[in-house]
Amino acid sequence: MRTMTIYVEKDSMIHNVDPLTKLLFVFVSVAMTYILPTYHFIIVVFVFTLFLLFVGKVLNYTLPVISVSFMLITSIIIIQSLFHPDRATPIYDIGPFTIYKEGITFAFLVTLRIFNMICAFGLLILTTKPDDLVQALINLGLSAKIGYVILSVLQIIPQMIRTTDKISDAQRSRGMETEGKLLTRIKSFIPLITPVVLNSLNDTLERSIALEIRGFNATGKRTILNNPTPYKYGLVFKVLLLMLLVGTIFWRVMI
């Protein structure tokens, strides 16, 4: 049975780290790949992020997302290798088109940044319960309404997957062909997607009504049912991450 989150329940060191520390790591790891735009440095950051995914036992859950992004990566490589504005060194000719070294180099940097960004966000989402992340942000001063929006975004993908599975099973029970050749899947797409969208809109309405009944907009002090347990090394890791970010900025200024 599918859950309503992408969170993967595992017993690992990464799962025990508090949400704000992991959120800060996402920001720092992504920011550093832009502060120092050298592929050697970006590879180091990317490999370290992969290592954390491995330690968190969720590396295999991130690989499908990376594979899906290959279409975007391919388009970036083609466009940049052919039409990069600083192109000057041709390395190969394909008919009327010429592939330039500058474009390939830049596309490689962008690809590494995208992969690192996917893995960093994957580390946060796959090893952090959405409720804990949102509650930590609210405790930090974030509005409860914005927190609800963030929580909804984190839940929308698994919710849509679960709804699609239910409607697909219902359509098959009525005799509709939803599997097989590509043409068969295309024909079943519209009858499938329409109830998925309508059901999602209906769920949103029901959820908003339920929130109003439970006093979501009520003023006054709120009682927290499940408050995340403070992580004892959280402050140490946050300071180290900030020092690493400052050191990276200083290194960029000096070179």
Side-chain angles (χ1 to χ4, degrees):
M1 180 178 178
R2 295 183 184 274
T3 62
M4 289 296 291
T5 67
I6 312 177
Y7 170 74
V8 179
E9 184 72 41
K10 296 285 185 178
D11 182 17
S12 73
M13 296 171 54
I14 307 299
H15 283 72
N16 295 330
V17 178
D18 67 285
L20 294 181
T21 300
K22 285 183 276 190
L23 185 61
L24 180 61
F25 170 78
V26 172
F27 172 77
V28 172
S29 64
V30 173
M32 287 194 305
T33 60
Y34 286 89
I35 296 172
L36 283 178
T38 60
Y39 64 89
H40 294 97
F41 180 78
I42 298 177
I43 288 175
V44 171
V45 176
F46 177 50
V47 170
F48 181 72
T49 306
L50 289 177
F51 172 73
L52 293 181
L53 286 169
F54 175 77
V55 173
K57 303 177 183 178
V58 292
L59 178 59
N60 56 323
Y61 295 92
T62 312
L63 296 180
V65 182
I66 295 178
S67 63
V68 170
S69 66
F70 268 106
M71 183 67 70
L72 172 64
I73 297 302
T74 302
S75 65
I76 291 175
I77 293 174
I78 293 174
I79 293 173
Q80 293 297 332
S81 62
L82 298 176
F83 307 110
H84 191 271
D86 296 329
R87 58 188 184 276
T89 310
I91 58 176
Y92 193 76
D93 292 328
I94 304 177
F97 301 104
T98 302
I99 297 177
Y100 293 90
K101 178 182 178 180
E102 291 78 10
I104 291 293
T105 303
F106 181 76
F108 183 57
L109 287 175
V110 173
T111 299
L112 288 174
R113 286 169 177 165
I114 292 175
F115 283 166
N116 179 72
M117 189 180 301
I118 292 173
C119 291
F121 276 100
L123 181 71
L124 171 67
I125 295 173
L126 293 172
T127 63
T128 307
K129 294 180 180 179
D131 295 345
D132 292 346
L133 174 60
V134 173
Q135 189 59 56
L137 292 173
I138 292 176
N139 292 344
L140 200 63
L142 184 72
S143 168
K145 293 182 179 179
I146 299 178
Y148 171 71
V149 172
I150 296 175
L151 186 61
S152 298
V153 170
L154 294 175
Q155 292 179 343
I156 191 170
I157 295 178
Q159 179 183 356
M160 292 286 286
I161 293 175
R162 193 179 71 165
T163 302
T164 302
D165 290 343
K166 289 171 59 179
I167 294 177
S168 181
D169 291 340
Q171 299 285 36
R172 281 196 295 267
S173 69
R174 298 186 179 98
M176 176 180 290
E177 292 290 339
T178 60
E179 298 179 350
K181 297 181 179 179
L182 179 61
L183 183 60
T184 302
R185 293 176 180 270
I186 294 175
K187 289 181 179 179
S188 64
F189 178 75
I190 295 178
L192 182 64
I193 198 64
T194 301
V196 169
V197 173
L198 293 176
N199 190 73
S200 298
L201 294 175
N202 185 58
D203 286 345
T204 302
L205 178 61
E206 292 180 353
R207 188 177 299 182
S208 64
I209 294 173
L211 288 173
E212 289 295 332
I213 293 175
R214 295 170 184 174
F216 182 74
N217 289 323
T219 58
K221 187 177 180 179
R222 297 176 181 268
T223 301
I224 301 174
L225 179 61
N226 296 312
N227 201 18
T229 304
Y231 182 61
K232 60 181 180 179
Y233 301 115
L235 180 60
V236 176
F237 286 146
K238 289 183 181 72
V239 171
L240 290 176
L241 286 170
L242 290 175
M243 290 175 60
L244 183 61
L245 180 61
V246 172
T248 305
I249 296 173
F250 180 76
W251 188 4
R252 176 60 187 273
V253 172
M254 294 300 295
I255 62 175

